[in-house]
Amino acid sequence: MKKLLLLNGPNLGILGEREVGIYGSATLADIERSVAKEAAERNWEVVGVQHDCEGALVRTVQDNYDTVGAVINPGALMIAGWSLRDALANYPRPWIEVHLSNVWAREQFRHESILAPLATGLIAGLGAHGYQLATRALMERIPAE
Ligand code: DQA
């Protein structure tokens, strides 16, 4: 069975209780379920991983170079996660960066992503729905074999 990587960075494990006015009330488990539902259409299994530490995220990317693609919310590591960036530079499949909030409508320090230039695309500001849209976009880009 083909696998889709769903990777979430620091502070995203507490979705549902974290600044609900900004990030919404969906939990990470809700998001993982909704992505799995979309991916089932292509018979892809979703590998859902969340870590607060950058090194663990790097290792997860390295261990998942054989996935069909990835949906990644790096959280604040978008700003300065250089080792995550290097791991993603070697990720051979399409991947989409997702942010629940519209980071460009927020503080200045959130306005640059060092990861986005490597991504196939980026979705921001559409809340939990963004993960589903990213999954659909990958399904459209990745040919069925
Ligand atoms: C976030 C936006 C980041 O700026 C923030 O550090 C997060 C969440 C989002 O999903 O909107 O942790 O990636």
Side-chain angles (χ1 to χ4, degrees), residues 20-31:
V20 173
I22 297 174
Y23 299 116
S25 55
T27 64
L28 188 52
D30 294 334
I31 289 169

Side-chain angles (χ1 to χ4, degrees), residues 80-91:
W82 291 106
S83 61
L84 179 60
R85 186 220 170 272
D86 284 349
L88 287 168
N90 197 43
Y91 182 71

Side-chain angles (χ1 to χ4, degrees), residues 10-12 18 23 73-76 78-79 98-103 106 110 131:
N11 297 305
L12 294 165
R18 176 188 179 197
Y23 299 116
N73 185 343
M78 72 183 282
I79 299 160
V98 171
H99 297 283
L100 294 141
S101 62
N102 178 357
V103 285
R106 301 181 62 197
R110 297 183 202 275
Y131 288 87

Side-chain angles (χ1 to χ4, degrees), residues 40-101:
E41 197 176 291
R42 287 290 291 277
N43 216 21
W44 292 344
E45 181 190 332
V46 174
V47 181
V49 180
Q50 187 273 333
H51 288 296
D52 290 325
C53 300
E54 185 171 0
L57 293 164
V58 167
R59 180 58 64 83
T60 301
V61 172
Q62 291 172 354
D63 288 345
N64 283 280
Y65 284 142
D66 62 342
T67 41
V68 287
V71 174
I72 301 178
N73 185 343
L77 292 173
M78 72 183 282
I79 299 160
W82 291 106
S83 61
L84 179 60
R85 186 220 170 272
D86 284 349
L88 287 168
N90 197 43
Y91 182 71
R93 306 292 299 173
W95 65 275
I96 300 191
E97 180 171 335
V98 171
H99 297 283
L100 294 141
S101 62

